[in-house]
Amino acid sequence: MNATPSSAGNRFPFRQVLLAVLFAALSSSQGRAQAMKVVQIIAPGAVNTYPNGVNKSNIVVGDFINSSGATVGFAYLGGNNFKTFSAPKSNKFTRILGINDANVAVGDFLGTDNFYHGFIVTHNGTKYSQYDVAKGTSTSIFSINKAGNFAGATGFGGPNQGFVNISGKVTTFYGSGTDNTFALGMNSSNTVVGQYIDSSNNSHGYSRSSSGNITEIVFPGALQTSCTGINDAGEITGWYEDSAFTFHGFTDIGGQFAPNDFIFTAGVSSTGSYVGYYYGPGSANCGGATGTTCYGYLATPQSDTLSTIQVTNAQNTSIYAVNNPNVFAGWYTDSTGAVHGLMLSNGTATNIDDPKAVAGTTICLGINNPGQIVGSYSTAAITEEGFLYTNGAYTDIGVPNAISTYAYGINDAGVITGTYYDSSNVEHGFMFENFTYTTIDVPGGTNATVWSINANGLMTVDWLDANGLSEASIYNGSTFTTLAIPGALDNFAHVINKSGNVIMGWYDFYGNEHGAFLKNGTYYIFDDPNGNSLRGDGLNDGNLIAGRFLLSSNGQFAGFQGTIP
């Protein structure tokens, strides 16, 4: 019995002109950001990791596949603390599927008799008992509530039935007709959620009340839905398949559905934290997806707001950087579609258009606290040149003998970072200090870009690995420390501030773009209120973040600023 889904650094050649003052309006509308504090969960020795349940103490239970192909249960206790568990009679297959707030865990194992058997165990393993609905049939326990009532699935030689055990009394049921049914979540009101599989092998979500009434739950517009968890507040978690045949996790709070940034969402705690897994870089072929590994996650919602930044009458506004005086840098397209580099201070926008540039090709990419700006523009020879803007004066930044140069970052000491293409059109990162260019490449990687440098000389570096995936690192001049955003297949580290916090962007398995913030060693992922494509680019020492997001389906975008969390 299995209740998981069945399968499942752009360059901008733009430029700038004479100083022109425009008005930039911050949108008065504030939207709730879909922010999550996230922790990556990789069980020790795991090839693929699948968290299934979580309680109010954020103890996470699940299972993983090891290098020998065995499935092993685990409990994640925070930090690097894990406990593993294999049922005494297991034939190399044990899953821990649920846990309540009293730390009682439930699950199943495949026995040598080729039947699944349920079990109940305390998370520290001091008490263990096997549980079967009946002899000669399979039993899996997926969820247990704080009263000790539990729910699961049972069956042999035909469709599985869902079941509940309430105060020792067992009731079996089908979600619809005699469709294959799984009871996957159960709260303290004995409300059960789960999935049933129809004759066409499509999944349907459902909710079953304590009195036995069953209601189908469909994520709006979904081809398939499965409900995997429910807490005492009635919040439901699950997954769905959309019209593009891609899978997403979701939450349902009082009928308000919201997708999240992960492939699969499982159980939800009484405090609203939820767990699941995603497809990340690797070679384990997670869920049949070649070149990926299944990584677990624990996500805790954060209540935050982002504010829109738009130049008045602009078609698009893109914010790439912000300094401590809250001056923003980036670029925008005016009402005619022409591109201009942008400096935005106290609601006033100033065009930054390099006089050497082909008209409409200047973009601003970085700014320091004194107000110096770096960026790039296109030359008449159709190459890219970096520039430094200081109080109205422009200075070219170009690596000698390079085909093209892009200047991305500058710190208060005037050290500039970026990327260039050599005479063989190979991309490298660089640092420019004391009139000297230093090439920065990542060992074993290619296509390095040095996005920023902070006051302490720490740099953010993006690069491609051997599989062609984008990786992100912090570089201290001798050592590269890789950053891995939970949920990401591709990682991009943009600006690092003096505290070592990093604003980031990332792509999921389907190529959707999202924002991330690494703060004090903890990752926070976020999207704009409408869930459209968003990228995080700018960060100052006060942890004000900035970037851009899509405004509409026609590709228009606006900037944003905000704090996470």
Side-chain angles (χ1 to χ4, degrees):
M1 291 182 287
N2 193 335
T4 59
S6 57
S7 62
N10 296 330
R11 303 289 177 221
F12 297 94
F14 305 126
R15 80 161 251 181
Q16 136 176 145
V17 175
L18 298 175
L19 240 60
V21 177
L22 300 175
F23 177 74
L26 284 179
S27 171
S28 59
S29 62
Q30 298 269 338
R32 179 188 170 99
Q34 296 177 332
M36 288 284 167
K37 175 182 177 181
V38 287
V39 176
Q40 186 184 68
I41 299 176
I42 306 175
V47 174
N48 288 315
T49 301
Y50 307 98
N52 297 315
V54 58
N55 67 9
K56 68 177 182 180
S57 302
N58 278 344
I59 295 174
V60 177
V61 295
D63 59 90
F64 66 92
I65 299 174
N66 65 22
S67 58
S68 299
T71 296
V72 182
F74 74 84
Y76 170 68
L77 309 178
N80 295 315
N81 299 317
F82 285 85
K83 288 181 178 290
T84 59
F85 176 77
S86 293
K89 298 180 181 179
S90 169
N91 186 17
K92 299 181 179 180
F93 185 98
T94 301
R95 302 186 298 183
I96 304 180
L97 298 167
I99 186 170
N100 68 11
D101 288 343
N103 298 330
V104 178
V106 294
D108 66 2
F109 69 90
L110 180 62
T112 55
D113 57 2
N114 289 322
F115 286 103
Y116 287 90
H117 302 275
F119 65 80
I120 303 171
V121 64
T122 58
H123 81 278
N124 57 12
T126 58
K127 294 182 180 180
Y128 168 84
S129 59
Q130 180 177 319
Y131 176 84
D132 294 295
V133 169
K135 290 184 179 180
T137 188
S138 285
T139 298
S140 295
I141 307 176
F142 287 100
S143 181
I144 184 168
N145 66 18
K146 64 184 179 183
N149 299 325
F150 53 90
T154 183
F156 174 70
N160 294 305
Q161 291 180 284
F163 79 86
V164 293
N165 183 312
I166 299 174
S167 300
K169 180 182 178 181
V170 175
T171 302
T172 59
F173 62 91
Y174 290 108
S176 177
T178 57
D179 286 340
N180 200 14
T181 301
F182 302 87
L184 302 177
M186 184 180 196
N187 67 10
S188 293
S189 299
N190 295 325
T191 299
V192 170
V193 296
Q195 69 174 162
Y196 60 89
I197 312 298
D198 65 24
S199 58
S200 298
N201 204 34
N202 291 316
S203 174
H204 301 260
Y206 72 86
S207 172
R208 180 184 186 272
S209 70
S210 59
S211 61
N213 293 322
I214 293 177
T215 302
E216 184 177 2
I217 295 177
V218 180
F219 190 94
L223 300 178
Q224 298 190 79
T225 303
S226 174
C227 299
T228 54
I230 184 170
N231 64 16
D232 289 351
E235 178 179 359
I236 296 171
T237 49
W239 60 264
Y240 70 96
E241 181 185 17
D242 64 21
S243 58
F245 308 106
T246 62
F247 291 91
H248 309 270
F250 75 86
T251 58
D252 171 11
I253 302 176
Q256 297 295 311
F257 291 86
N260 59 41
D261 294 336
F262 302 103
I263 292 285
F264 179 77
T265 297
V268 58
S269 74
S270 57
T271 58
S273 295
Y274 56 81
V275 296
Y277 67 84
Y278 64 93
Y279 297 167
S283 57
N285 295 337
C286 174
T290 303
T292 64
T293 292
C294 283
Y295 297 95
Y297 69 86
L298 166 64
T300 304
Q302 307 290 313
S303 180
D304 297 288
T305 58
L306 302 177
S307 299
T308 301
I309 300 175
Q310 273 185 291
V311 174
T312 301
N313 297 322
Q315 295 180 7
N316 298 291
T317 302
S318 184
I319 302 298
Y320 266 77
V322 58
N323 63 13
N324 291 349
N326 292 352
V327 179
F328 299 90
W331 57 274
Y332 74 98
T333 54
D334 63 25
S335 59
T336 69
V339 174
H340 302 276
L342 170 67
M343 178 173 65
L344 175 63
S345 178
N346 295 320
T348 299
T350 301
N351 283 6
I352 306 294
D353 291 321
D354 195 296
K356 294 182 180 179
V358 173
T361 65
T362 301
I363 59 171
C364 301
L365 300 172
I367 188 171
N368 63 11
N369 291 321
Q372 293 177 297
I373 292 174
V374 294
S376 68
Y377 67 88
S378 294
T379 69
I382 318 177
T383 62
E384 295 299 315
E385 187 78 2
F387 72 86
L388 167 65
Y389 170 85
T390 306
N391 296 325
Y394 295 83
T395 303
D396 282 347
I397 303 296
V399 175
N401 301 315
I403 296 174
S404 292
T405 301
Y406 301 81
Y408 277 91
I410 182 170
N411 67 11
D412 291 353
V415 181
I416 296 171
T417 57
T419 189
Y420 73 94
Y421 290 82
D422 65 21
S423 57
S424 299
N425 205 30
V426 176
E427 186 178 11
H428 309 270
F430 76 85
M431 178 180 67
F432 179 54
E433 183 179 17
N434 297 325
F435 304 101
T436 300
Y437 291 91
T438 301
T439 295
I440 297 174
D441 288 317
V442 179
T446 60
N447 299 76
T449 297
V450 185
W451 262 85
S452 69
I453 182 168
N454 71 4
N456 303 315
L458 294 177
M459 290 171 264
T460 51
V461 184
D462 296 337
W463 47 283
L464 295 182
D465 64 20
N467 295 316
L469 297 175
S470 295
E471 305 276 4
S473 299
I474 295 175
Y475 179 55
N476 65 3
S478 60
T479 302
F480 293 89
T481 301
T482 300
L483 306 178
I485 303 165
L489 190 62
D490 293 282
N491 296 265
F492 303 92
H494 292 165
V495 174
I496 183 169
N497 68 13
K498 69 178 181 181
S499 299
N501 299 329
V502 183
I503 187 69
M504 304 182 69
W506 59 282
Y507 287 94
D508 62 27
F509 176 74
Y510 300 118
N512 301 310
E513 193 171 20
H514 312 278
F517 184 31
L518 177 60
K519 181 181 180 182
N520 300 328
T522 298
Y523 287 97
Y524 298 83
I525 63 173
F526 61 98
D527 287 302
D528 77 283
N530 297 317
N532 294 321
S533 178
L534 176 147
R535 53 183 293 158
D537 287 310
L539 175 68
N540 68 14
D541 292 335
N543 291 324
L544 179 70
I545 65 174
R548 79 175 197 203
F549 67 97
L550 283 182
L551 279 171
S552 59
S553 59
N554 64 6
Q556 289 184 308
F557 48 85
F560 72 85
Q561 65 169 332
T563 55
I564 303 286

